[in-house]
Amino acid sequence: MTADRFLVCGLALLLAAAWLLDRPSPRAARILTALAAAALAAALIVRWTLSGHPPVFGTYEMDLAETLVLLVVGLWILRRARPGALRWPVGVALLTLAHALLMDSRITPLTISEVSLWIDLHAALAWLAWAFLFLALGLAFRQDEADQALALRLLGYGFFAQTAMGMVGAYYGTLIWATGWSWDPVQTLGLMSWLLIGMAVHFRLFFGVSLYRQRWFLAVCLLAFVLAAKLIMFLPQGQSFHVFELGAMLPEGP
């Protein structure tokens, strides 16, 4: 087992302990979650130093970066929440780390099309959208008025981040491929998710349909978002210009 996989397993153990302690001891859960986030941030900084580029390339790196942003945003947003509220983002983080264990963790040089600050911004907006949307979904399942209000605000933040992410991606696409849209499978799923989330916000603001009543609809919205983000490596070569890491799930070498 490589050092990267030991790291992911260690982080998962910390987060599993935090998940178990969140109801009986929220303070201990927050401390363990913060420790996991700090360790993950340090690991990503080391990886950044070794690779010479930020963690924007490859599903493994994206899994770790999304986990870090989700934990940091979750700790801040839910700092005064009731016991048990941290279980949702920690649970999502555990699933994301489990997904990372399936990926090849070896450092891969950037392709020419990836060497751009626009790509860095595109990735950072994707991480923020991931954090805001998942936190909104978790709160949407709570009937408390304060939780519902916070869920709506986070859903708006996530929708804005996803919109900006798409706009940056489309702009960069025009620079590289002379087109901002090509009905790429990832683009199509992302558009579907964006439209569905926009509908949920619209229903809440203009028709008064609570997010609690829409909670399963929101789950479908995020399912499309997750499919766009995590099933890239299953697409055949040439089916999507988002497929940069062919063989991402192959066993690692020595």
Side-chain angles (χ1 to χ4, degrees):
M1 183 178 287
T2 65
D4 288 316
R5 297 194 182 283
F6 274 119
L7 167 69
V8 172
C9 291
L11 292 172
L13 287 175
L14 277 176
L15 291 176
W19 191 90
L20 291 171
L21 289 172
D22 192 35
R23 289 189 186 278
S25 181
R27 180 178 175 81
R30 290 182 60 82
I31 292 173
L32 289 176
T33 304
L35 286 174
L40 181 51
L44 285 174
I45 290 173
V46 170
R47 188 178 180 90
W48 189 337
T49 303
L50 294 175
S51 66
H53 63 77
V56 299
F57 186 84
T59 308
Y60 176 81
E61 289 186 350
M62 292 295 287
D63 279 342
L64 297 189
E66 288 165 350
T67 300
L68 175 61
V69 175
L70 176 64
L71 293 177
V72 172
V73 175
L75 283 169
W76 174 254
I77 295 295
L78 302 176
R79 60 191 184 280
R80 296 188 182 91
R82 293 174 297 172
L86 200 59
R87 276 192 166 186
W88 171 249
V90 167
V92 173
L94 283 169
L95 290 175
T96 311
L97 290 178
H99 185 264
L101 284 174
L102 300 176
M103 300 296 114
D104 190 336
S105 64
R106 289 173 294 188
I107 293 175
T108 306
L110 293 180
T111 63
I112 295 176
S113 63
E114 290 293 302
V115 184
S116 171
L117 291 177
W118 288 110
I119 289 296
D120 297 344
L121 177 60
H122 184 66
L125 289 168
W127 304 335
L128 286 173
W130 180 273
F132 288 138
L133 293 177
F134 267 106
L135 287 169
L137 177 62
L139 290 170
F141 276 79
R142 293 171 171 260
Q143 296 188 31
D144 181 78
E145 290 186 8
D147 290 337
Q148 288 288 304
L150 180 56
L152 179 61
R153 191 158 64 248
L154 291 172
L155 192 64
Y157 293 159
F159 183 73
F160 177 81
Q162 191 178 9
T163 302
M165 176 189 69
M167 293 176 65
V168 170
Y171 171 71
Y172 190 62
T174 62
L175 299 180
I176 298 297
W177 295 285
T179 177
W181 188 264
S182 60
W183 292 106
D184 179 288
V186 176
Q187 285 181 320
T188 304
L189 282 168
L191 176 63
M192 182 187 303
S193 171
W194 182 79
L195 289 172
L196 291 174
I197 293 169
M199 288 174 60
V201 175
H202 184 83
F203 290 154
R204 173 62 184 85
L205 293 179
F206 297 98
F207 294 94
V209 183
S210 70
L211 294 183
Y212 181 77
R213 290 179 60 189
Q214 297 187 69
R215 59 194 184 280
W216 293 112
F217 177 68
L218 286 175
V220 173
C221 298
L222 260 72
L223 176 61
F225 185 76
V226 171
L227 289 176
K230 299 303 177 189
L231 294 189
I232 297 173
M233 77 290 299
F234 293 109
L235 295 172
Q237 185 176 5
Q239 292 296 309
S240 171
F241 54 74
H242 288 82
V243 180
F244 302 115
E245 47 169 345
L246 299 177
M249 298 184 68
L250 293 178
E252 295 188 21

